Amino acid sequence: MLSLFQRKRVPLTKAAAPPPVEPAKGLTPPQSATSLLAEPHRQRLLEHIWQRTSLSRRQFRSLYLAPLERYAELVQQFPASEAHHHAWPGGMLDHGLEIVAYALKLRQSHLLPAGAPPEVQASQAEAWTAGTAYAALLHDIGKIAVDLHVEQADGVVWHPWHGPLRQPYRFRYRTDREYRLHGAATGLLYTRVLDAGILDWLSDYQDLWSALLYVLAGQYEHAGTLGELVVKADQASVALALGGDPARAMAAPKHALQRKLLDGLRYLLREEFKLNQPGGPSDGWLTQDALWLVSKTVSDKLRAHLLSQGIEGIPSNNTAVFSVLQDHGIVQPAPDGKAIWRATVTSGTGWSHSFTFLRLSPALIWESGERPAPFAGTVTTEEPLPGEDDASTPSGIPATSPSPGVADSPAGIADPVSDLLSMLDASDAATTSASSASAEPPSPSTTATTSLPHLTPTTPASMPAPAKATPSGEDFIAWLKQGIESRKLIINDAKALVHTVDGTAYLVSPGVFQRYAQEHPEIQVLARQDNLHDWQWVQKRFEKLGLHRKQDSGLNIWTCEVTGPRKSRRLHGYLLMAPSALFAEVPPDNPYLSLASG
């Protein structure tokens, strides 16, 4: 099948690498593709990409590694964005490798070209796989042509159509850049990455060729399934970057958590929070010199919003959230050094009430011309009460016990089996008692819920989130189904909370219920009325639906053995009687999971 391509391909002659020189202060020396791709996390991604193809190493080098090397030489140490995702040195290359890996994973669930006879799909399979990788890799490459101003050591401005950098360089983001222009600029550069032999090969497949050209022109709406794969893979890579572990070696930006918290606060203040409401429900007040946000409200809503966008790593304990906001310089410390301020709000009409607040600088949230009008009344600070905890709530609002937490677990970049196994340490202790329970849910646990590094946000952070239905067992199932269909909840993958086992859906407990509860903080009030944790309240509503399969002994919980090349563990959860409750088409069973006997 690849003979035509291999016959036409002419190996490229690489330019000799420049001799090492000591760059001037403030300049970055260019690196070879070999050096750039030698980082361990990038090598693991390359191995993952190879495993998603059905090629020999020699074929893989021609079809994948050579374009990836040319891409690496072009993007060097450029970030993928100035202050959003992958905004660290080398972020553009990391994003490129990640999105290729995600896109190839998603591509395995599709028979392409859609609607073609099986023999046609089989004959074109490798071409569509490679085309998916190229579309994913190149979707953002126009950024280095139109978003960056790059200057070489000799003072000459560098443009990527000149070829790879051969001198030390410095760069800055253009202040006049247009946000969407980079999509149109891809056409300037893709021949720098895909050689004539590859283009000749792809052009023989008309459906693929058309879809690929539409993606490279930024016209995803005309690119069909290929466009959808790239968009979903891009969202997955962005979610991983914004929710990843800040300690991720050699890759994670130092301020990733700070950015995602700020982006979430800006969204909430733009779309959801009510400010300066005298005598009525208000989430905060804006004065001339400070933004005062009600502490518990902002913590609950910020966590729920970020989780709904597929962003992980947000602690479920409010005290921890306040500490994180303070540690990252987002909230200003009170006189006692803690994050919480106690203050009294008084309106011009005489209404007055005391709250516990987080205090922020308005400049962190709004540009000068965007700032709303300040509150007409006053916000007067008070001395903290003796022994008052950072997790205190507004006066008159009862405090709640924190639900079982989500720890900042390392996301890292690992192979799927290792990631899948790594989640078990967190879930085993939390669910061991569940395996011996029947109608009663597992007992409360302080064990951390597993993080989900592979979630895909279905709605950009700048767009309003859809209205939420009232929490219930039925809404939990609808939430699961929508999350799976939109790929916000990835199944059968690293740290997933939903798998396919024994021909049906398997829900990891209590993690999947904790996840739903964290996206629906209003459950806390309902759960308190029944003297339950929020996730237990959800679990009980799910059980009442009668959708799960019970064991012959009457037990609700099923144990799964999870095996890999190095170790094995156990999961506990619910099996659905009918997979159609969640899946339009039932995926194959997870090969690493099997129901435990006895």
Side-chain angles (χ1 to χ4, degrees), residues 236-514:
S237 177
V238 170
L240 177 63
L242 296 182
D245 173 26
R248 174 175 157 190
M250 303 301 293
K254 294 181 180 179
H255 304 296
L257 188 57
Q258 180 189 55
R259 284 200 304 277
K260 68 182 179 181
L261 292 168
L262 271 175
D263 287 346
L265 286 170
R266 289 165 182 157
Y267 164 81
L268 291 171
L269 282 157
R270 185 174 65 249
E271 303 290 347
E272 291 191 16
F273 283 174
K274 294 180 180 179
L275 294 181
N276 300 345
Q277 303 289 311
S282 187
D283 298 301
W285 284 265
L286 173 65
T287 61
Q288 289 286 356
D289 61 346
L291 171 62
W292 303 88
L293 296 178
V294 178
S295 58
K296 187 177 186 302
T297 298
V298 68
S299 181
D300 288 345
K301 290 189 175 182
L302 179 60
R303 181 189 303 109
H305 168 69
L306 293 177
L307 286 173
S308 73
Q309 300 303 304
I311 298 173
E312 292 298 323
I314 305 298
S316 67
N317 183 290
N318 282 349
T319 303
V321 173
F322 301 152
S323 296
V324 167
L325 290 168
Q326 184 176 0
D327 291 344
H328 285 77
I330 296 174
V331 301
Q332 301 172 354
D336 62 356
K338 296 184 178 181
I340 292 295
W341 296 69
R342 179 171 290 275
T344 299
V345 179
T346 305
S347 73
T349 60
W351 175 86
S352 181
H353 199 80
S354 294
F355 296 91
T356 55
F357 287 109
L358 300 177
R359 174 175 171 158
L360 292 79
S361 168
L364 277 177
I365 306 298
W366 298 286
E367 299 290 339
S368 57
E370 300 174 346
R371 187 183 301 186
F375 179 49
T378 60
V379 177
T380 306
T381 59
E382 305 171 6
E383 290 294 325
L385 298 177
E388 184 171 46
D389 191 275
D390 279 356
S392 59
T393 56
S395 175
I397 299 178
T400 60
S401 300
S403 58
V406 174
D408 279 327
S409 304
I413 302 177
D415 64 275
V417 176
S418 295
D419 274 348
L420 180 62
L421 294 175
S422 69
M423 73 177 179
L424 300 176
D425 292 338
S427 61
D428 277 349
T431 56
T432 299
S433 61
S435 61
S436 60
S438 106
E440 291 302 315
S443 58
S445 169
T446 57
T447 304
T449 305
T450 56
S451 62
L452 307 173
H454 293 292
L455 294 179
T456 306
T458 57
T459 307
S462 60
M463 298 295 290
K468 292 181 180 178
T470 302
S472 64
E474 292 81 2
D475 184 62
F476 169 73
I477 294 297
W479 169 83
L480 269 180
K481 187 172 183 179
Q482 191 277 334
I484 292 169
E485 290 175 350
S486 66
R487 306 254 180 195
K488 190 183 79 172
L489 295 176
I490 300 299
I491 65 171
N492 292 336
D493 199 44
K495 304 183 181 180
L497 296 178
V498 180
H499 300 274
T500 44
V501 178
D502 200 32
T504 189
Y506 182 78
L507 310 183
V508 178
S509 176
V512 70
F513 305 111
Q514 291 172 321

Side-chain angles (χ1 to χ4, degrees), residues 10-29:
V10 178
L12 292 181
T13 301
K14 286 192 175 183
V21 294
E22 187 69 26
K25 187 175 181 180
L27 294 176
T28 302

Side-chain angles (χ1 to χ4, degrees), residues 3 23 26 28 44 54 98 143 172 174 210 240 243 309 315 330 335 365 404 457 475 487 502 517 539 572 579 594:
S3 59
T28 302
R44 288 194 291 271
S54 57
E98 288 173 6
K143 288 183 176 181
R172 60 176 171 80
R174 297 179 182 275
S210 299
L240 177 63
Q309 300 303 304
I330 296 174
I365 306 298
D475 184 62
R487 306 254 180 195
D502 200 32
Q539 188 181 51
H572 305 284
S594 59

Side-chain angles (χ1 to χ4, degrees), residues 75-321:
V75 302
Q76 288 290 325
Q77 292 282 41
F78 300 136
S81 66
E82 183 175 17
H84 188 219
H85 71 91
H86 297 84
W88 60 84
M92 188 79 169
L93 179 54
D94 288 334
H95 182 46
L97 293 172
E98 288 173 6
I99 190 175
V100 170
Y102 278 116
L104 293 185
K105 175 180 173 58
L106 295 173
R107 184 265 181 273
Q108 291 185 319
S109 301
H110 295 269
L111 295 174
L112 300 171
E119 59 272 16
V120 173
Q121 293 174 336
S123 67
Q124 297 187 16
E126 200 57 58
W128 276 90
T129 299
T132 300
Y134 303 148
L137 179 68
L138 296 169
H139 83 291
D140 264 353
I141 198 171
K143 288 183 176 181
I144 66 174
V146 296
D147 287 1
L148 297 176
H149 176 88
V150 184
E151 188 176 307
Q152 300 180 127
D154 61 4
V156 174
V157 174
W158 174 83
H159 297 290
W161 49 83
H162 295 162
L165 281 154
R166 299 302 180 195
Q167 296 183 41
Y169 62 94
R170 62 168 59 91
F171 71 91
R172 60 176 171 80
Y173 275 84
R174 297 179 182 275
T175 57
D176 60 347
R177 65 186 184 275
E178 295 183 35
Y179 173 68
R180 297 192 181 277
L181 187 59
H182 70 268
T186 301
L188 295 170
L189 301 178
Y190 69 80
T191 56
R192 284 280 173 185
V193 175
L194 306 180
D195 62 32
I198 287 178
L199 297 175
D200 287 347
W201 177 53
L202 296 176
S203 66
D204 285 340
Y205 304 98
Q206 187 56 47
D207 290 341
L208 170 60
W209 185 241
S210 299
L212 178 61
L213 291 180
Y214 277 126
V215 170
L216 297 181
Q219 299 184 35
Y220 293 88
E221 66 276 16
H222 301 303
T225 302
L226 187 65
E228 294 174 7
L229 292 176
V230 174
V231 169
K232 289 178 180 178
D234 184 37
Q235 291 175 334
S237 177
V238 170
L240 177 63
L242 296 182
D245 173 26
R248 174 175 157 190
M250 303 301 293
K254 294 181 180 179
H255 304 296
L257 188 57
Q258 180 189 55
R259 284 200 304 277
K260 68 182 179 181
L261 292 168
L262 271 175
D263 287 346
L265 286 170
R266 289 165 182 157
Y267 164 81
L268 291 171
L269 282 157
R270 185 174 65 249
E271 303 290 347
E272 291 191 16
F273 283 174
K274 294 180 180 179
L275 294 181
N276 300 345
Q277 303 289 311
S282 187
D283 298 301
W285 284 265
L286 173 65
T287 61
Q288 289 286 356
D289 61 346
L291 171 62
W292 303 88
L293 296 178
V294 178
S295 58
K296 187 177 186 302
T297 298
V298 68
S299 181
D300 288 345
K301 290 189 175 182
L302 179 60
R303 181 189 303 109
H305 168 69
L306 293 177
L307 286 173
S308 73
Q309 300 303 304
I311 298 173
E312 292 298 323
I314 305 298
S316 67
N317 183 290
N318 282 349
T319 303
V321 173

